[in-house]
Amino acid sequence: MNLKILMVALLILVTSSSFAHADTEIRPTVSLSYDVEPEVFMPGDTGTITVTISNMATGEIYVEEDDETLDMNAYIASASLDGNGVIKILDRSYTDVGLMGPGDSLELTFNIKASNNASDSVHFLDLAIVGGSNMYDLNYRIPVKIDDRNLKVIVSDVPSNLMKEIATIGVEVVNRRPNEVTSVIVSPSGNNMEFSPSEFFIGSITEGNKSTAAFTLNTIDCDPGKGDIEFTVSYFNGDNLHSTEKVVKNVNIIDQSPLIFTSIETERAGNKYSISGDLNNFGVTDAKNVIVSIQGSDNITPVQPFASYFIGTLEADDFSSFDLSAKVLSDDISSIPVIIEFRNTDNAYTSMTKEINIAESGVGSNSEKEDSSAATWIFAAVITVAIAALIAYSWKKRKEDEAQYPDDIPEDEDEE
């Protein structure tokens, strides 16, 4: 706000009849103040100049002085504001404004507009107030400042290389103007990129200061390669909407997910696969409410006890183990898709799908183990049968010998 006060002594001359050669001057004081909004114009801006006139006299409207009654009212016949080639007055004058009694005030508002090619400088407008009765006229020059400086956007916290991830980025908005700006909003955009929030409301920024806008950037669905992130800022200078030019930040999207599987092991029992391993957070932000699940299809069916596995919060640069199980109904399946679901720092839902190779797992296929185990059991059974047959044959042979040669039986055996 640009508030200026001008104290104007308005003379009301009254000649006293009680004294032939003496004059008495009554001086009711009138104050004038003005307010320019916006405080500093930009070329093309519209605004207002509000002039406040106050009668600072106190007491009664009429004052008795030397047997005469003196009027303490201030009468305003008209008020006008004249522009120049740079600033145009949209409504320039008031007529027959009227009387102001002691302690009264009135406001006169003039709408003005700066030309689109107005130069940076202080431009003066002429205010003329015409008084009636014994009130003198008043002429005053009101300064209006014009400055075309815009806000500046500084991309301070956006990496040049990004994975297919969720990251936090930030930009700074600097007010280089000599006055406060209001309703500052930062808007980002990028191809296949998601920003949370979609716009960041800063509010007011005083002259010579800055504020920071922070966003959560999701590049999971972006194609690998070069891309651009654009930022624009809108704001109000007074009642005038302005915006900055687009600021572009070049980034490179790397084909790498921040959540990766390691130490994967699979075990097979018939057509059932059990999968275990670690899920690592290679990113720079935490992942909340993490769940890994088997993605079902015609040939893949999630089965208990681990159709899905809840991990919870997976902090940046951390990992957690998991277990999953599924039935595979076709011999042509070489990998099982696993869905990773989580929420980012702004609680926005995100998911991604990764393939776990079951043909080249860290642990050999259990079918081989089953075949080996079956062969072992068959071999053991054959040996057992052979031993039993040998024992039976030996026992039968002995019986036959006993029957054929009874005299060869030892005496001690007969006694028994």
Side-chain angles (χ1 to χ4, degrees), residues 24-320:
T24 301
E25 292 184 350
I26 305 299
R27 299 172 181 252
T29 303
V30 173
S31 69
L32 182 148
S33 62
Y34 67 89
D35 174 58
V36 179
E37 177 63 26
E39 182 178 354
V40 181
F41 280 60
M42 297 181 73
D45 278 359
T46 58
T48 59
I49 294 179
T50 301
V51 178
T52 302
I53 304 174
S54 301
N55 185 351
M56 304 302 291
T58 59
E60 302 295 332
I61 296 177
Y62 300 101
V63 176
E64 297 293 333
E65 181 70 27
D66 298 331
D67 296 331
E68 286 196 14
T69 300
L70 305 178
D71 188 352
M72 298 301 290
N73 290 323
Y75 178 71
I76 307 297
S78 65
S80 61
L81 187 67
D82 290 330
N84 50 41
V86 177
I87 300 175
K88 180 180 179 181
I89 311 301
L90 303 180
D91 43 5
R92 62 181 304 273
S93 64
Y94 291 83
T95 58
D96 195 18
V97 177
L99 290 173
M100 290 190 303
D104 288 345
S105 298
L106 62 87
E107 289 186 350
L108 306 175
T109 300
F110 301 90
N111 294 307
I112 64 175
K113 178 179 176 60
S115 64
N116 293 329
N117 58 354
S119 59
D120 291 359
S121 183
V122 177
H123 304 269
F124 291 91
L125 305 179
D126 294 322
L127 173 67
I129 296 177
V130 178
S133 185
N134 292 324
M135 177 179 164
Y136 290 130
D137 297 340
L138 170 66
N139 294 307
Y140 189 68
R141 304 191 74 195
I142 297 179
V144 176
K145 186 175 182 180
I146 296 178
D147 192 310
D148 67 353
R149 280 178 288 182
N150 209 332
L151 304 188
K152 184 175 180 60
V153 181
I154 300 176
V155 183
S156 58
D157 190 19
V158 179
S160 297
N161 294 294
L162 293 167
M163 296 187 298
K164 289 189 172 183
E165 62 178 326
I166 294 176
T168 300
I169 62 173
V171 295
E172 293 180 340
V173 182
V174 181
N175 182 9
R176 300 181 296 173
R177 294 189 53 72
N179 63 298
E180 182 182 60
V181 294
T182 60
S183 300
V184 180
I185 297 176
V186 183
S187 302
S189 63
N191 188 27
N192 291 331
M193 300 179 186
E194 295 182 5
F195 297 87
S196 179
S198 58
E199 294 181 323
F200 191 96
F201 177 76
I202 291 178
S204 300
I205 305 179
T206 55
E207 60 273 17
N209 284 282
K210 67 178 182 180
S211 293
T212 300
F215 298 92
T216 299
L217 171 61
N218 186 340
T219 56
I220 290 177
D221 294 329
C222 291
D223 295 328
K226 301 291 184 179
D228 293 332
I229 302 177
E230 298 178 344
F231 298 93
T232 57
V233 177
S234 63
Y235 63 96
F236 279 89
N237 187 50
D239 291 332
N240 305 277
L241 178 63
H242 293 274
S243 62
T244 63
E245 295 182 354
K246 288 183 178 181
V247 175
V248 180
K249 171 67 175 181
N250 302 118
V251 295
N252 182 37
I253 307 298
I254 301 172
D255 192 12
Q256 172 64 54
S257 170
L259 299 179
I260 58 176
F261 289 129
T262 58
S263 303
I264 296 297
E265 296 182 354
T266 63
E267 293 183 0
R268 179 181 177 183
N271 63 354
K272 181 180 177 180
Y273 283 84
S274 297
I275 303 171
S276 63
D278 296 331
L279 180 62
N280 302 262
N281 187 354
F282 186 53
V284 294
T285 57
D286 296 346
K288 300 187 297 183
N289 301 337
V290 181
I291 298 177
V292 291
S293 307
I294 297 292
Q295 184 177 27
S297 64
D298 293 340
N299 294 315
I300 299 175
T301 303
V303 296
Q304 298 301 332
F306 300 115
S308 62
Y309 193 96
F310 179 75
I311 292 176
T313 298
L314 190 58
E315 298 179 350
D317 196 26
D318 199 2
F319 72 95
S320 178

